[in-house]
């Protein structure tokens, strides 16, 4: 099999640099382009040096059209607006678009679905194997214990801009799916003051921010006189990067569509 040519979007960010390091370890993949937004201060810098590696001769560029035209996949942990724009270029280029971005609005999701008519898009609030296994367990537990209260607590570093996290929402969707209900209709995202008793069937969220925490997620199912607690703690962003690389591999040769990491890992059924 030929080497998979990969573009990293948001190459100077935390995840962008981690993805570049992961690609340097992958024998079947290579970094083809390192993308940043126009006007970003790091444009023109060596992507390898930015990632803490030896120089690799690939300079950060803002020419997304040229990058995707010369790539087999694009790895994208950026912003909703940037990811939507990249998805439309990926659709033109007919390449695999792996999206780890979170915080999408409904209009953004509509545009991603339109792009997925022509591109293989793998989108997930979390790319790690452990979190996706956790989601499968949450779905089973919520189904088996329909009267237990579900609460999801997440903590991330102080610079994270969206809440609840994409992973927390992924876990909430898993709980809702286990009970065959709509998360939108059952989610409770904040409590303050005299809130009254907890509504039956609510799926609660709490978001903590501080320090340099990569990502902690706990799902509690609380019943009469007993609790089940399911927890995942991310200790290094490399777990997300390796998952993204696996998604890019999996997507090669697949039919266009909007997929999730559960498809990549065979956990969809």
């Amino acid at each position: 099999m030929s080497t998979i040519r990969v573009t990293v979007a948001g190459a100077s960010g935390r995840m962008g640099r981690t993805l570049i390091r992961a690609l340097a370890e992958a024998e079947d993949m290579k970094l083809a382009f390192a993308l940043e937004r126009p006007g970003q201060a790091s444009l023109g810098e060596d992507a390898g040096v930015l990632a803490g590696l030896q120089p690799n001769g690939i300079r950060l560029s803002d020419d997304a059209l040229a990058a995707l035209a010369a790539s087999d996949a694009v790895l994208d942990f950026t912003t909703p607006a940037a990811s939507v724009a990249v998805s439309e270029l990926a659709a033109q280029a007919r390449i695999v678009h792996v999206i780890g971005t979170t915080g999408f609005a409904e209009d953004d999701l509509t545009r991603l679905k339109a792009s997925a008519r022509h591109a293989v898009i793998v989108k997930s609030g979390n790319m790690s194997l452990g979190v996706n296994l956790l989601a499968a367990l949450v779905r089973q537990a919520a189904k088996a214990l329909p009267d237990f209260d579900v609460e999801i607590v997440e903590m991330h570093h102080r610079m994270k801009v969206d809440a609840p996290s994409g992973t927390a929402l992924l876990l909430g969707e898993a709980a809702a799916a286990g009970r065959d209900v709509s998360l939108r209709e059952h989610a409770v995202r904040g409590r303050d003051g005299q809130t009254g008793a907890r509504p039956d069937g609510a799926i609660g969220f709490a978001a903590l921010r501080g320090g340099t925490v990569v990502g902690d997620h706990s799902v509690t199912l609380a019943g009469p006189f007993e609790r089940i607690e399911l927890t995942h703690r991310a200790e290094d962003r490399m777990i997300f990067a390796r998952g993204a690389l696996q998604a890019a591999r999996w997507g090669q040769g697949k039919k266009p569509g909007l997929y999730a990491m559960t498809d990549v890992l065979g956990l969809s059924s």
Side-chain angles (χ1 to χ4, degrees):
M1 181 178 177
S2 59
T3 300
I4 300 172
R5 303 166 299 168
V6 179
T7 286
V8 172
S12 68
R14 290 184 183 88
M15 270 308 303
R17 297 193 302 270
T18 304
L19 289 164
I20 290 169
R21 291 195 294 273
L23 285 167
E25 298 175 358
E27 296 182 356
D28 61 336
M29 294 179 150
K30 69 176 182 180
L31 179 66
F33 277 84
L35 279 180
E36 263 301 347
R37 66 184 183 277
Q40 218 281 340
S42 59
L43 287 173
E45 294 188 31
D46 186 282
V49 173
L50 273 176
L53 305 171
Q54 293 297 313
N56 59 19
I58 298 175
R59 304 286 176 177
L60 266 67
S61 167
D62 61 5
D63 191 346
L65 185 60
L68 271 59
S71 298
D72 303 303
V74 54
L75 309 180
D76 175 6
F77 290 69
T78 56
T79 66
S83 292
V84 168
V86 170
S87 78
E88 292 167 351
L89 294 176
Q92 293 179 35
R94 303 296 200 270
I95 66 172
V96 177
H97 185 190
V98 178
I99 303 177
T101 306
T102 58
F104 289 101
E106 286 300 318
D107 288 348
D108 298 325
L109 296 175
T110 298
R111 291 174 66 183
L112 290 179
K113 290 175 183 176
S115 296
R117 292 199 291 264
H118 303 289
V120 174
I121 297 180
V122 181
K123 175 185 170 296
S124 179
N126 194 296
M127 295 285 171
S128 83
L129 172 62
V131 162
N132 283 280
L133 287 172
L134 173 61
L137 293 173
V138 169
R139 179 171 181 164
Q140 293 177 2
K143 181 178 181 179
L145 303 168
D147 297 326
F148 278 45
D149 299 324
V150 178
E151 291 289 323
I152 300 168
V153 179
E154 55 98 344
M155 183 170 185
H156 284 82
H157 55 87
R158 65 190 306 273
M159 302 303 291
K160 187 168 178 61
V161 298
D162 60 312
S165 69
T167 302
L169 293 173
L170 181 152
L171 296 171
E173 290 286 2
R179 292 180 175 175
D180 197 24
V181 298
S182 165
L183 178 62
R184 179 182 297 180
E185 296 175 2
H186 290 78
V188 176
R189 295 198 178 192
R191 299 184 178 99
D192 184 43
Q194 298 296 319
T195 62
R198 189 184 198 279
D200 290 341
I203 298 174
F205 292 88
L208 311 180
R209 296 290 178 266
T212 58
V213 178
V214 173
D216 292 350
H217 295 85
S218 293
V219 181
T220 298
L221 293 98
F225 312 111
E226 61 180 335
R227 294 193 307 275
I228 295 172
E229 297 177 348
L230 302 169
T231 298
H232 179 273
R233 301 188 190 280
E235 299 175 356
D236 192 316
R237 288 184 177 81
M238 190 61 80
I239 64 173
F240 311 132
R242 290 175 179 147
L245 266 61
Q246 185 60 25
R249 293 185 185 99
W250 178 88
Q252 302 302 311
K254 293 291 189 297
K255 293 181 179 180
L258 184 59
Y259 300 95
M261 278 301 288
T262 49
D263 297 304
V264 176
L265 300 172
L267 298 172
S268 297
S269 59

